[in-house]
Amino acid sequence: MNDRIRIDSRELGRAPEAEVQQRRGGLNSAAGGEVFGQVESTRTDAGQLGGAGIWAKPKLLYSLAGLAAAIVASIMTDGVAGYGTYEQTGRNPPLWVPFVFMCSFSAFVTMCIAAVDDVVASSYVRGLFFGLVGFIGGLVSGAIALFAGGIVFNIIGTMLSDAFGGASSRFEFTLLAMVMRAPAWLIVGALCGAVVGGLGRSMRRALLGAAGGAVGGLVGGMLFDPLNALTDAMFSSGNAWFSRFIALAVMGAATGFAIAFAEQAAKQAWLAIERGRLIGKQFIVYRNPTRIGASYSNDVFLFKDASVQPEHARITRRGGAYQIEALPGALVRVNAHPIASKALASGDTVQIGETVMRFNTKS
């Protein structure tokens, strides 16, 4: 059951001594005498409110988020700013058009990747907050990339033009564009990844996000012009919007995939939810201490569970060792035993409220 449980003196008499002390206040009693937690159910399926599903595939989740963002960015670029109209008529677009092109992609990619975890978990308030912060950060990132990338674009273009005399064919033009455009998209991806990682208030996660985003942006940016040329050759020249849509979609998915890949590849310790509302989700242990609780501000958020305190427990890293501590009034079980503080080993189970997590470390 997920409701708080009232235990009378007769039931206390039959309970194990460690649990009696926990509920009488021997271990971390709350000031008002209330204890948060629940007796572990003997049912093996207790608390299973859903399947692992997409939680077990963070790279796919982030890729889909990047893809969705690129679709919106494509609509903004061609449907709102009319980028293709300027291309077809040979006119130079006003400055606000490339601004919309670059900044809409950056803003929506960052927003979607930052919010997707919480939206899938039905944590809409947290998702809205992270999405909004990500959108603002993405706008700034896009503006920086547009300025810095434009400078690099012109420098590389001038150097290549002086060295090779420019492009005489569509193939040569595509190769030159790949080299010239890639740095700008690398900057976009790196800044997007840094914003997403920075939302976790961890420098390490921000750096990993930046590294992953840089790779995704670079790969996607270099594929942009070849995909544009390929789809343009397959369809009429009036479908430049479709060429750009395909290229942006691939770039958005590549950026999301690379950010998730960097995080997963570099993780050292994490909690994998095996039972509960977020079954299948992984929380990577970045911060020291890592806070666990019902509040959205926690690093590991266990919301919609009345038996979990706003801040319920903390995991602290000392050297290569990890220690979990139950905060006052909180019931935490490690390997089914209530604890006040305990060293964690890889493979240990941690139960807080209805949620059972397995602590893992890389060997």
Side-chain angles (χ1 to χ4, degrees), residues 137-151:
L139 278 179
V140 175
S141 300
I144 294 173
L146 182 64
F147 176 75
I151 294 175

Side-chain angles (χ1 to χ4, degrees), residues 34 39 55 109 141 149 163 190 199 207 222 239 246 259 268 316 324 327:
E34 182 179 19
V39 174
W55 283 127
V109 165
S141 300
L199 290 173
L207 292 175
M222 293 190 72
N239 285 295
I246 295 297
I259 291 173
Q268 297 298 318
T316 305
I324 187 168
L327 295 187

Side-chain angles (χ1 to χ4, degrees), residues 39-328:
V39 174
E40 185 175 32
S41 171
T42 57
R43 291 176 55 195
T44 58
D45 62 341
Q48 287 197 1
L49 304 181
I54 200 169
W55 283 127
K57 305 175 181 65
K59 292 186 283 293
L60 174 60
L61 190 65
Y62 278 32
S63 297
L64 291 176
L67 175 62
I71 293 172
V72 178
S74 179
I75 294 172
M76 292 292 296
T77 299
D78 284 286
V80 176
Y83 196 99
T85 303
Y86 292 98
E87 280 187 330
Q88 293 172 11
T89 58
R91 294 179 296 158
N92 290 324
L95 182 60
W96 68 270
V97 174
F99 181 85
V100 170
F101 174 52
M102 182 72 80
C103 292
S104 63
F105 175 83
S106 177
F108 285 110
V109 165
T110 309
M111 178 188 75
C112 289
I113 294 176
V116 67
D117 272 338
D118 299 298
V119 171
V120 172
S122 300
S123 176
Y124 300 117
V125 174
R126 179 180 163 113
L128 178 63
F129 173 76
F130 278 176
L132 179 60
V133 174
F135 184 85
I136 295 171
L139 278 179
V140 175
S141 300
I144 294 173
L146 182 64
F147 176 75
I151 294 175
V152 176
F153 186 92
N154 290 328
I155 292 174
I156 295 177
T158 301
M159 293 172 58
L160 293 177
S161 179
D162 292 342
F164 301 103
S168 58
S169 66
R170 178 63 185 266
F171 177 73
E172 291 180 1
F173 174 81
T174 300
L175 289 179
L176 289 175
M178 288 173 62
V179 177
M180 295 166 61
R181 198 186 305 275
W185 291 109
L186 181 150
I187 296 170
V188 169
L191 293 176
C192 288
V195 171
V196 171
L199 290 173
R201 296 169 297 171
S202 164
M203 179 60 69
R204 183 168 179 268
R205 191 183 182 201
L207 292 175
L208 286 173
V215 172
L218 178 63
V219 172
M222 293 190 72
L223 289 175
F224 185 95
D225 287 284
L227 287 170
N228 202 319
L230 177 63
T231 52
D232 192 43
M234 294 172 61
F235 300 94
S236 66
S237 58
N239 285 295
W241 68 268
F242 183 70
S243 303
R244 190 162 29 254
F245 165 76
I246 295 297
L248 283 174
V250 171
M251 191 155 50
T255 302
F257 178 89
I259 291 173
F261 180 84
E263 288 192 352
Q264 293 296 313
K267 65 185 180 183
Q268 297 298 318
W270 64 98
L271 292 163
I273 308 295
E274 294 190 343
R275 198 173 76 199
R277 190 174 297 276
L278 300 177
I279 185 170
K281 180 171 175 55
Q282 289 185 6
F283 288 98
I284 301 176
V285 177
Y286 284 111
R287 301 185 68 207
N288 190 25
T290 292
R291 298 180 302 161
I292 306 172
S295 171
Y296 291 137
S297 62
N298 288 292
D299 307 298
V300 180
F301 54 94
L302 306 177
F303 58 95
K304 298 180 181 178
D305 186 345
S307 61
V308 179
Q309 293 184 170
E311 186 178 350
H312 200 96
R314 292 178 181 177
I315 295 178
T316 305
R317 184 179 66 253
R318 296 184 178 89
Y322 294 85
Q323 187 94 6
I324 187 168
E325 173 192 2
L327 295 187

